[in-house]
Amino acid sequence: MKTQTGRGGDITIYGIRNCDTMKKARAWLDGHGVAYGFHDYKKSGIDKGRLEGWARVVGWEVLLNRAGTTFRKLPEADKGGLDEAKAISLMLGQPSMIKRPVLDIGGTILVGFKPESYEAAFDD
């Protein structure tokens, strides 16, 4: 596999440094010689425009990590009646509710880590 900077642009992986899934994804990228930037939600947050853009591409339902402890600890009122605007507001307020990682390959968005998806995305 060739070292790449992405189809049509740079590669950025978004998430939280100490997340186990993030570690696996970063190890996969490193092991395959893929150059990438890392955006840490804990240090840098996330902007509304980027979240809305991802939601248009993959859907807010894919982005929102309902299985994580941050979401599960929310009051029932916050969990109920979810729509895109409410989900984006929740994720902006607590970026750990964004499913990890989000990999932006020059505009192609992958959410979560599955080695076979990464293989397909970087296969020439």
Side-chain angles (χ1 to χ4, degrees):
M1 189 166 300
K2 297 193 298 187
T3 300
Q4 301 180 15
T5 56
R7 296 181 187 142
D10 292 331
I11 298 171
T12 304
I13 190 167
Y14 294 82
I16 297 168
R17 183 168 302 281
N18 292 326
C19 168
D20 288 340
T21 306
M22 286 294 301
K23 290 177 184 176
K24 291 175 189 173
R26 292 171 65 206
W28 189 97
L29 293 169
D30 293 341
H32 289 82
V34 176
Y36 61 91
F38 173 56
H39 180 100
D40 189 336
Y41 298 136
K42 296 264 188 196
K43 291 183 179 177
S44 304
I46 190 72
D47 65 86
K48 185 176 182 180
R50 186 170 309 277
L51 266 180
E52 289 172 339
W54 291 345
R56 279 191 298 276
V57 174
V58 301
W60 67 266
E61 300 92 339
V62 172
L63 287 173
L64 182 63
N65 182 8
R66 296 174 195 238
T69 53
T70 305
F71 183 82
R72 288 184 310 203
K73 288 181 180 179
L74 286 175
E76 288 303 317
D78 288 345
K79 294 182 204 178
L82 280 176
D83 60 12
E84 182 172 338
K86 187 172 181 181
I88 286 174
S89 178
L90 287 171
M91 290 184 280
L92 283 171
Q94 299 188 57
S96 58
M97 278 194 250
I98 303 169
K99 194 174 288 180
R100 299 179 295 271
V102 174
L103 183 65
D104 182 342
I105 309 166
T108 298
I109 306 299
L110 298 179
V111 179
F113 174 65
K114 292 185 177 136
E116 59 274 14
S117 297
Y118 279 41
E119 289 282 349
F122 292 100
D123 189 27
D124 272 340

